[in-house]
Each structure stands twice: as structure tokens, then as C-alpha cells.
Amino acid sequence: MLLPIYIYGQPVLRKVSEDITPDYPELEQLIADMWETLADSEGIGLAAPQIGRNIRLVVIDLDVLSEDLPEYKGFRKVFINPHIVEYDENVPTDSLEEGCLSLPGIHEKVVRPTRIHVQYQDEQFNAHDEWVEGYLARVMQHEFDHLDAKMFIDRISPLRKQLIKNKLKALLQGRYRCSYRTKAVRK
């Protein structure tokens, strides 16, 4: 089932999410709905707060980028209870433009570490503890930020944030266009 994506200003996007257990109600269906919603919105990642749930659940599909990034061919993964344990401070950061399904029409350059240590569980609740680098590390940081009540606009300079102030205000007022179902603060 297609779920509405919560837009900037929705309180759920600014609450820290909770870990879940295997007995979380209808988890399998929720994951299926998140995949369907992600595909419909043509995104590459979706965190549970973006669909109104404050739980630590993320889906990432980098297969859609495999023509340009062949190393991600077939990469579709569920992350349950993910946490970034540490950032590798021995490698350089990089700056790339990011967008967000919860911030339609806004794209800004964000500086992020290029290598991170993560812990998470898969759909069968098997534990994973690994170092991730490159574009996947960026996407994971972006999506996992949602679980910690952060958005990419929190990681841009005060000047850049000032320059997009009117766009953010428009989102709060429900004045935006996008091709997927959304839930704005008011319309």
C-alpha cells in the first residue's frame, strides 16, 4: 500500500525514533509498504519517520543508480535498529548535493564523512556490525539522521539555511509540488 510521505514541519520528523523487536506489529507488511512507497516516489532511501512512524527502520534501494554506479547493482536492503557507532576521522569528508522526499524541491550540498561504522539488524533480526564507505555511507547517514530527528538541512551552513528560508516556509504552508502522496502540516 502506498503511504503518504510526511513533509517538513510534521512533528514526527523531529522526534528520536525507538528500536523495535521482532514482534513489532505487522512489520513485514510495513516493510513491503515502505518499498512500494519508495519506488512510487522515485527515491533511494526511506526512513520510518518519513511515513509517520518513530521506529528505527530504513529501506535503501541503490539498484536504481546502478547504471551510473554499477557497484550497487541489486542493492536493496532493510535496516532495522541501525546506529552509527563512529565516523572514520582518518579519511577525508566530501560534499555532495542531497535532496529528501520530506523536503520536495530543496537540494543543498552537505559535507559528510566518507566512511562510517554501523550496527543494524536485517529483516530476520540478524545483527550486522560493519564499516561502510562511499556513496552508501552518505545515504545511510542521511537516512539514519531521520531516526535521530535530524534532516539534511540541519547540516548546512546558517547562510545556506537563510537562503532557503522561503522554500521551507512554503513547505510549512503546504505550498509545494511533487508526484507522490504526502502529508503536509496544513494545506
Side-chain angles (χ1 to χ4, degrees), residues 10 169 171-176 184-187:
Q10 285 284 359
K169 185 177 176 184
L171 291 177
L172 290 172
Q173 295 171 344
R175 294 186 290 114
Y176 59 89
V185 176
R186 62 173 178 234
K187 287 199 175 190

Side-chain angles (χ1 to χ4, degrees), residues 144-163:
F144 298 177
D145 271 356
H146 281 297
L147 306 178
D148 293 323
K150 293 183 177 74
M151 302 179 85
F152 82 85
I153 56 170
D154 301 328
R155 299 194 180 278
I156 62 176
S157 72
L159 174 61
R160 290 301 313 159
K161 198 158 184 180
Q162 185 64 30
L163 292 171

Side-chain angles (χ1 to χ4, degrees), residues 16-187:
V16 175
S17 295
E18 301 289 326
D19 282 353
I20 60 173
T21 58
D23 61 352
Y24 187 83
E26 300 179 26
L27 180 59
E28 194 173 309
Q29 183 61 51
L30 177 61
I31 291 169
D33 292 345
M34 287 179 71
W35 281 124
E36 184 179 349
T37 301
L38 180 63
D40 180 71
S41 63
E42 298 181 356
I44 58 173
L46 185 64
Q50 293 180 276
I51 52 141
R53 306 266 186 117
N54 277 124
I55 59 172
R56 297 190 78 85
L57 174 63
V58 167
V59 296
I60 295 176
D61 180 359
L62 293 184
D63 183 62
V64 298
L65 304 176
S66 63
E67 194 171 295
D68 295 324
L69 300 169
E71 64 270 31
Y72 296 118
K73 180 80 177 147
F75 188 97
R76 283 175 46 97
K77 207 164 185 180
V78 175
F79 298 88
I80 296 174
N81 302 327
H83 294 273
I84 296 174
V85 179
E86 64 182 306
Y87 300 92
D88 188 344
E89 296 177 7
N90 298 316
V91 297
T93 59
D94 71 349
S95 176
L96 287 175
E97 188 173 274
E98 292 186 20
C100 181
L101 297 173
S102 294
L103 293 158
I106 297 177
H107 297 85
E108 291 290 328
K109 284 197 169 199
V110 180
V111 176
R112 293 195 188 267
T114 57
R115 189 167 184 262
I116 58 173
H117 180 196
V118 296
Q119 293 177 342
Y120 63 92
Q121 294 165 308
D122 60 28
E123 287 176 88
Q124 288 74 43
F125 282 82
N126 296 314
H128 296 265
D129 185 324
E130 56 196 49
W131 283 92
V132 179
E133 57 189 49
Y135 192 69
L136 176 58
R138 172 172 294 276
V139 174
M140 290 172 97
Q141 288 172 78
H142 177 107
E143 297 305 330
F144 298 177
D145 271 356
H146 281 297
L147 306 178
D148 293 323
K150 293 183 177 74
M151 302 179 85
F152 82 85
I153 56 170
D154 301 328
R155 299 194 180 278
I156 62 176
S157 72
L159 174 61
R160 290 301 313 159
K161 198 158 184 180
Q162 185 64 30
L163 292 171
I164 64 169
K165 185 174 79 171
N166 287 338
K167 289 182 180 180
L168 294 173
K169 185 177 176 184
L171 291 177
L172 290 172
Q173 295 171 344
R175 294 186 290 114
Y176 59 89
R177 289 183 191 192
C178 57
S179 61
Y180 45 88
R181 273 184 71 201
T182 63
K183 186 171 176 84
V185 176
R186 62 173 178 234
K187 287 199 175 190

